[in-house]
Amino acid sequence: MVLVAVLLPNLMLAVVLALGRYEEFMLGVDEGGAEPRRERHLFAVPDLPPVEEAADRDPRPSHASPAPARRHAA
């Protein structure tokens, strides 16, 4: 048990660091902090147009009942 408690955190740290290095390798980031490869582009997604609500529309959801909510004993 003590051996697992001592070695497991070190092993997990080594795995996390190795995965980070692998990600840097796959993304093409060099040691000098160079830019990633140019194939990856991020772009902004335009906002959806605002939905106009009718003035006579009931603001309550369609599943809401007109009766007040009742509390049940637990």
Side-chain angles (χ1 to χ4, degrees):
M1 290 285 287
V2 172
L3 200 58
V4 171
V6 171
L7 293 179
L8 188 62
N10 296 329
L11 179 64
M12 288 173 38
L13 177 62
V15 168
V16 168
L17 292 175
L19 285 174
R21 297 290 295 177
Y22 178 71
E23 179 184 19
E24 289 176 1
F25 171 73
M26 292 304 291
L27 294 178
V29 177
D30 295 330
E31 285 296 321
E35 293 291 324
R37 289 187 285 183
R38 295 289 178 194
E39 290 94 40
R40 295 183 55 144
H41 293 289
L42 299 177
F43 56 92
V45 177
D47 291 335
L48 294 175
V51 178
E52 307 225 0
E53 295 185 23
D56 59 343
R57 184 174 169 199
D58 189 13
R60 290 182 297 174
S62 61
H63 63 276
S65 64
R70 294 188 178 133
R71 298 184 67 183
H72 299 282

